Amino acid sequence: SDASDGNGAFSVQITTGGLPADGYLRGSMSGYLDTYVVPPTPLVEDATQVPLLQFNQATYDFIAGISGVTPDPARGNVVVLVADCDSQPIEGATVTVTPSAGTSVVYLGPSGLPDGNATATSAEGLAVLFNTAAGNVQVDALVMGMSLRERTVPSAAGAVTTTGLVP
């Protein structure tokens, strides 16, 4: 467990013995929802400038509200960035989650706000999965009929997990 400095910067060192590190970073701060950051693939080199986005309850409720979703505090939420091999967002991807019962998939539009009419990612490549089952869930994206690398991520009750999906 490490703490951030006054500006929110932090550093974590993990000894891997030269093997890929498959895990996640959990951020917790009083007054904010816990956040889990799961890299798109196991880490094989240093990762710098990793964003750890944290939402207070009012902001989360606002985003859910304009998405037309009623949050369930017993379920989790996953924000997914669908990107290509060069980490560029992919437009036109459909995101799925397993198990899917009770989950609402909302895509963010070009404005960065939820677009209730969208059926796939915009040029920003972002989707929010509201009310995912608590526990580990599998997220995947279809692009032109092809599945990207499926990723298993934690979905903690009342928390937000961020991850990326890449080929």
Side-chain angles (χ1 to χ4, degrees):
S1 175
D2 286 316
S4 63
D5 65 17
N7 295 320
F10 61 91
S11 176
V12 177
Q13 184 172 346
I14 302 169
T15 303
T16 66
L19 299 174
D22 194 12
Y24 58 86
L25 177 67
R26 178 179 168 261
S28 180
M29 187 167 72
S30 179
Y32 289 80
L33 292 128
D34 284 355
T35 300
Y36 295 77
V37 177
V38 181
T41 60
L43 297 176
V44 295
E45 59 186 18
D46 290 348
T48 60
Q49 303 297 318
V50 177
L52 181 70
L53 305 175
Q54 290 195 286
F55 301 95
N56 64 28
Q57 192 66 52
T59 301
Y60 170 76
D61 289 344
F62 173 75
I63 294 168
I66 62 174
S67 298
V69 174
T70 301
D72 181 346
R75 297 177 71 88
N77 308 278
V78 180
V79 178
V80 179
L81 170 62
V82 182
D84 62 20
C85 293
D86 293 323
S87 299
Q88 296 302 307
I90 295 177
E91 184 173 4
T94 55
V95 177
T96 60
V97 62
T98 304
S100 62
T103 299
S104 297
V105 179
V106 177
Y107 297 98
L108 301 188
S111 66
L113 295 174
D115 181 347
N117 296 318
T119 58
T121 56
S122 68
E124 281 70 27
L126 291 168
V128 181
L129 311 175
F130 288 99
N131 296 330
T132 53
N136 287 334
V137 298
Q138 293 176 334
V139 293
D140 195 6
L142 291 174
V143 180
M144 297 186 298
M146 293 182 359
S147 175
L148 296 183
R149 183 187 317 254
E150 185 177 77
R151 192 77 169 116
T152 299
V153 300
S155 172
V160 176
T161 297
T162 61
T163 193
L165 294 174
V166 296

